[in-house]
Amino acid sequence: KAGVTQTPRYLIKTRGQQVTLSCSPISGHRSVSWYQQTPGQGLQFLFEYFSETQRNKGNFPGRFSGRQFSNSRSEMNVSTLELGDSALYLCASSLDVGGFYEQYFGPGTRLTVT
Amino acid sequence: GEDVEQSLFLSVREGDSSVINCTYTDSSSTYLYWYKQEPGAGLQLLTYIFSNMDMKQDQRLTVLLNKKDKHLSLRIADTQTGDSAIYFCAEFSSNTGKLIFGQGTTLQVKP
């Protein structure tokens, strides 16, 4: 079974631009979560999508948004990029069966904002 | 609110046992997890424990849970250089429906 894939793996953008990152979950997984990882703040939860609906949201500004398609693939978008948005963005998928939340992570997208 | 704390660094010699500790605050946590992150990679789920268990063993890994003290530990027996990585503990909070991660413990294994 293929793992979680994320594209692109690396991205360089300038301040003020916007960016869209993509995540393809493991086949059969309907839950997709996004995390931001930085050296200073660690791993922070951005949001979770389940069956095309945002089920949970972290404490990030409205510049961070996401969506999920009917095939469970997910995208996240960051508008008006700031230098502080430079981070590794990780996507994770899970079956989410019976309250057991076993997440499988992709390799991440390394975003650098200059 | 939820908070997960870990020590930041642990150094051991190859062949020794490593013990990585974690404390959490959310008493509604149902599952607790250990993840491993190698340089340039995403997170790999190592093992998990359900909150009504005290211990779980999985080959070289032993997870101990003290629910009263909200303390979780991961013991790696016969630590190898390939075990060098960052280890994250995480709790799933049934209150918020979120997976909350600690800041990660860097394990350095010296040959």
Side-chain angles (χ1 to χ4, degrees):
Chain A
K1 203 181 237 188
V4 178
T5 57
Q6 292 187 245
T7 55
R9 291 291 313 276
Y10 302 92
L11 207 47
I12 300 174
K13 291 283 190 180
T14 54
R15 272 181 299 177
Q17 287 186 313
Q18 74 159 14
V19 68
T20 299
L21 312 181
S22 181
C23 171
S24 292
I26 291 172
S27 178
H29 287 193
R30 292 196 293 164
S31 166
V32 174
S33 298
W34 288 90
Y35 296 85
Q36 182 195 64
Q37 186 178 26
T38 58
Q41 299 296 317
L43 269 160
Q44 291 189 287
F45 172 75
L46 279 155
F47 28 65
E48 183 210 359
Y49 286 87
F50 183 83
S51 293
E52 301 179 66
T53 302
Q54 188 181 84
R55 187 161 68 170
N56 228 323
K57 191 176 183 308
N59 299 320
F60 277 80
R63 299 184 299 107
F64 291 82
S65 63
R67 60 178 173 166
Q68 187 179 32
F69 301 96
S70 57
N71 61 358
S72 293
R73 191 177 71 84
S74 177
E75 288 181 348
M76 67 161 278
N77 185 75
V78 188
S79 61
T80 321
L81 283 164
E82 300 177 1
L83 294 178
D85 297 333
S86 293
L88 180 67
Y89 289 88
L90 293 164
C91 159
S93 74
S94 79
L95 272 172
D96 191 17
V97 173
F100 179 54
Y101 209 67
E102 184 173 339
Q103 292 196 321
Y104 293 86
F105 281 78
T109 294
R110 171 77 60 187
L111 172 65
T112 303
V113 182
T114 62
Chain B
E2 316 88 21
D3 195 21
V4 179
E5 297 281 339
Q6 298 177 240
S7 52
L8 294 181
F9 186 78
L10 175 66
S11 181
V12 301
R13 292 235 170 255
E14 192 174 19
D16 287 350
S17 290
S18 308
V19 179
I20 302 171
N21 295 299
C22 171
T23 58
Y24 60 98
T25 57
D26 189 346
S27 55
S28 75
S29 295
T30 48
Y31 289 94
L32 296 129
Y33 303 83
W34 284 103
Y35 284 87
K36 175 183 179 183
Q37 186 177 34
E38 296 181 84
L43 275 68
Q44 174 198 350
L45 178 63
L46 285 178
T47 188
Y48 61 90
I49 189 167
F50 187 48
S51 58
N52 68 353
M53 296 167 67
D54 297 324
M55 186 184 91
K56 181 179 179 183
Q57 188 147 4
D58 186 357
Q59 299 182 334
R60 290 192 299 122
L61 305 178
T62 303
V63 179
L64 294 177
L65 175 61
N66 181 328
K67 198 171 178 183
K68 176 175 166 286
D69 294 338
K70 297 191 181 71
H71 182 266
L72 182 73
S73 68
L74 174 70
R75 178 176 179 269
I76 305 172
D78 186 26
T79 313
Q80 303 297 305
T81 52
D83 295 324
S84 293
I86 303 176
Y87 291 80
F88 291 91
C89 84
E91 61 165 349
F92 180 73
S93 168
S94 56
N95 276 342
T96 63
K98 295 178 188 175
L99 197 59
I100 309 296
F101 285 87
Q103 63 270 56
T105 299
T106 298
L107 175 64
Q108 178 190 66
V109 183
K110 296 179 181 175

